[in-house]
Amino acid sequence: MDDRPIPPRNWLVVALLTVVVASATSLVALLGPGLVDVAVGAVGVGIVAAALVVAVPDRLAGAWAEHRPYVYFSVGLFAFGGLLGAALLAAGIDLTELFLEALGEEFAPEDPGEEFELELTATFFVVQNTPPFLFSIAGAITLGLFTAIIMLVNGLLIGNIALSMAAVVGVDFILVGLLPHGIFELPALFVAAGVGFRLVHRFGQRILGSREAFVTKAYLSRTAVLVVFAWLLLVVAAFVEAYLTPALLDALFAARLEEAPAAAVVVPFVVG
């Protein structure tokens, strides 16, 4: 008889949603451009993430119970940043052009004569979003200051640029451009930030003497599982952003997409 713990219902829902969206992305990549490797990679990552939920539900549930308040705190910082971004836009400060200039400088070819073309693949988004993910955890070294800055800046950019572009191409266009991958990417970043803040709290508890050890093997074990699961969600988001989101935009807003300014197309970059 299998006596392994059954995953809580909410974790099963997350696992099912991950597999479904990853499979849809895989199907789009396969039937559209015929990218077999992408299709296999997308569904594979989704299955691995779901398998992790089934394999170690107790560790995931335990880690989430401990980090949940800090994850919610991260969401609050992000939301506050979003309000600041909206307030800046209302005051006439649109960060879109500045963002596009920074993006162009970061990815401009070394040879000025070379044609600039940004290849938006899943690998590209994983490479772009993994550093903020890891820095949100490592921000504990700065007593959470850097982690807080990452959350605030991401929220500010989303609030400012997304609202600015929504006024140009429509709220529905921006929502379709952000939500499919954002439902995975943002929670992943919030979890990473939550881990960073929890480490700061544990350190404070150790300094004040209310905790015997800063970290324990049990804590590291369950937290590592949560971090790995969150990163897998980040990878799923990368596949969705690179292949499913463009397909949805093209299917729903083909005419509007042709007339949309460049900024509206790159709005998803601000997530992460």
Side-chain angles (χ1 to χ4, degrees):
M1 180 177 179
D2 190 352
D3 57 355
R4 288 180 302 175
I6 300 175
R9 183 178 301 177
N10 55 342
W11 281 103
L12 288 176
V13 171
V14 171
L16 179 60
L17 178 64
T18 302
V19 172
V20 169
V21 174
S23 298
T25 304
S26 175
L27 193 60
V28 167
L30 188 61
L31 298 181
L35 301 173
V36 178
D37 55 338
V38 170
V40 173
V43 74
V45 173
I47 291 174
V48 171
L52 194 61
V53 171
V54 176
V56 286
D58 51 340
R59 294 186 190 180
L60 270 176
W64 172 247
E66 179 171 1
H67 293 91
R68 179 169 50 195
Y70 309 90
V71 173
Y72 290 163
F73 177 66
S74 303
V75 174
L77 287 175
F78 180 87
F80 181 68
L83 291 176
L84 287 179
L88 287 177
L89 185 63
I93 302 175
D94 189 340
L95 299 176
T96 304
E97 185 175 346
L98 182 63
F99 173 77
L100 288 176
E101 289 179 0
L103 191 67
E105 290 177 2
E106 182 177 357
F107 298 104
E110 296 182 2
D111 183 359
E114 184 180 348
E115 184 178 352
F116 174 64
E117 183 176 357
L118 195 59
E119 189 176 2
L120 304 182
T121 63
T123 300
F124 171 84
F125 288 115
V126 170
V127 171
Q128 281 297 109
N129 294 327
T130 296
F133 178 86
L134 296 177
F135 290 152
S136 293
I137 299 173
I141 299 175
T142 65
L143 299 182
L145 178 61
F146 192 54
T147 303
I149 290 174
I150 291 175
M151 292 297 102
L152 287 169
V153 169
N154 272 274
L156 188 147
L157 289 174
I158 284 286
N160 189 277
I161 299 177
L163 287 177
S164 173
M165 288 300 96
V168 177
V169 296
V171 175
D172 52 350
F173 183 98
I174 297 301
L175 287 178
V176 173
L178 291 176
L179 285 181
H181 72 274
I183 59 175
F184 296 103
E185 185 174 324
L186 287 177
L189 291 173
F190 295 149
V191 166
V195 171
F197 288 130
R198 177 55 179 156
L199 286 170
V200 173
H201 190 195
R202 288 181 69 100
F203 179 72
Q205 290 176 318
R206 179 68 185 92
I207 293 298
L208 295 175
S210 61
R211 179 175 293 278
E212 292 185 2
F214 170 41
V215 294
T216 62
K217 289 183 179 180
Y219 171 78
L220 291 176
S221 176
R222 61 178 179 266
T223 302
V225 171
L226 181 64
V227 169
V228 169
F229 179 76
W231 184 78
L232 289 172
L233 292 184
L234 199 71
V235 177
V236 170
F239 278 102
V240 173
E241 188 170 8
Y243 305 103
L244 183 58
T245 297
L248 289 173
L249 289 174
D250 187 56
L252 298 174
F253 310 105
R256 207 184 306 180
L257 194 60
E258 293 179 359
E259 302 174 357
V265 179
V266 300
V267 159
F269 279 111
V270 300
V271 182

